[in-house]
Amino acid sequence: DTAVSQTPKYLVTQMGNDKSIKCEQNLGHDTMYWYKQDSKKFLKIMFSYNNKELIINETVPNRFSPKSPDKAHLNLHINSLELGDSAVYFCASSQDTAGEQFFGPGTRLTVL
Amino acid sequence: ILNVEQSPQSLHVQEGDSTNFTCSFPSSNFYALHWYRWETAKSPKALFVMTLNGDEKKKGRISATLNTKEGYSYLYIKGSQPEDSATYLCAFSDARSGATNKLIFGTGTLLAVQP
């Protein structure tokens, strides 16, 4: 009964490829997020969706496109992968805009 | 630029020691302050969400205080145990941002508790 799940857990790919990471939450939350953990282990918000609507869109290259088919899913598609995209990507969800966020297990992306 | 700073960067204590660390954040336009516990190879787990100046929260041996006027929060662990070893993250959200769930994370305090 995993609360926030991400697939895949590991992703190794070549530069220039297009890849997707999927996220699902079964908590009934309205809001979902994507974070990037950089090489210094710093967690930085990328996107947030509330009820399938984009509400946070940080300064992220437009090669990154989130898609929320429904409240329980927020997928991250990345075009033309670059070496600098290598990182751990975390999905999270929260009930409302002030509540605690529940994080998924992370997806480690390695671009070769 | 909103800055969230945590100190110390890392801390090594003996089992049974009590410890505390600090999170500093902008004192204006405060909305909420979150504390998360992040064990190695796992995902961050929420400890506390604090919204009012003077808030004090407690969960077992861990407690936190909040001072929004001066822009700091303390996290205390009483009688540290090896299983408390983790990175403790704080995160701040700004009422002006238009998205009060946009968390700005600090870099964390890495706690190692020696048996």
Side-chain angles (χ1 to χ4, degrees):
Chain A
D1 55 344
T2 307
V4 182
S5 59
Q6 294 178 228
T7 52
K9 195 167 179 184
Y10 299 97
L11 185 52
V12 181
T13 189
Q14 298 287 331
M15 238 170 39
N17 283 350
D18 303 340
K19 289 291 176 188
S20 291
I21 308 172
K22 295 188 176 183
C23 178
E24 177 180 359
Q25 52 96 3
N26 63 4
L27 297 165
H29 287 167
D30 289 338
T31 309
M32 294 184 73
Y33 312 80
W34 276 109
Y35 287 88
K36 180 180 180 181
Q37 183 192 10
D38 65 21
S39 54
K40 294 181 183 174
K41 313 245 167 156
F42 189 58
L43 263 183
K44 197 162 181 214
I45 182 80
M46 299 171 70
F47 302 104
S48 177
Y49 271 71
N50 180 261
N51 280 315
K52 301 197 297 173
E53 193 178 323
L54 182 66
I55 56 170
I56 297 174
N57 185 354
E58 287 298 281
T59 313
V60 177
N62 58 14
R63 298 181 294 103
F64 289 77
S65 51
K67 285 203 172 41
S68 182
D70 55 58
K71 268 185 6 172
H73 295 86
L74 179 62
N75 303 323
L76 183 65
H77 189 75
I78 316 169
N79 286 330
S80 303
L81 277 155
E82 299 178 359
L83 293 176
D85 297 333
S86 296
V88 182
Y89 292 85
F90 285 93
C91 176
S93 71
S94 65
Q95 177 58 48
D96 54 40
T97 57
E100 66 184 89
Q101 296 185 13
F102 292 75
F103 284 80
T107 295
R108 182 175 291 278
L109 170 66
T110 304
V111 183
L112 302 174
Chain B
I1 295 174
L2 298 174
N3 231 16
V4 177
E5 293 182 1
Q6 291 187 245
S7 62
Q9 212 168 24
S10 64
L11 198 50
H12 290 75
V13 301
Q14 294 292 321
E15 184 174 352
D17 287 350
S18 292
T19 187
N20 66 85
F21 10 98
T22 308
C23 173
S24 301
F25 52 86
S27 56
S28 54
N29 302 296
F30 174 86
Y31 188 80
L33 193 283
H34 296 224
W35 280 101
Y36 288 83
R37 182 167 177 272
W38 195 355
E39 291 179 77
T40 304
K42 295 190 178 177
S43 51
K45 298 259 184 307
L47 286 171
F48 307 113
V49 179
M50 307 169 83
T51 55
L52 296 174
N53 184 43
D55 253 356
E56 287 188 30
K57 297 224 172 178
K58 191 170 184 217
K59 194 182 277 192
R61 293 177 293 97
I62 305 178
S63 59
T65 60
L66 179 67
N67 183 325
T68 61
K69 293 189 187 313
E70 294 179 46
Y72 65 83
S73 175
Y74 293 137
L75 189 80
Y76 300 92
I77 303 179
K78 190 176 172 185
S80 304
Q81 298 296 308
E83 57 265 30
D84 296 329
S85 298
T87 296
Y88 291 83
L89 293 173
C90 71
F92 161 83
S93 65
D94 180 341
R96 287 173 307 178
S97 70
T100 50
N101 57 342
K102 177 182 164 182
L103 295 183
I104 311 295
F105 279 87
T107 48
T109 292
L110 174 62
L111 175 67
V113 183
Q114 297 275 85

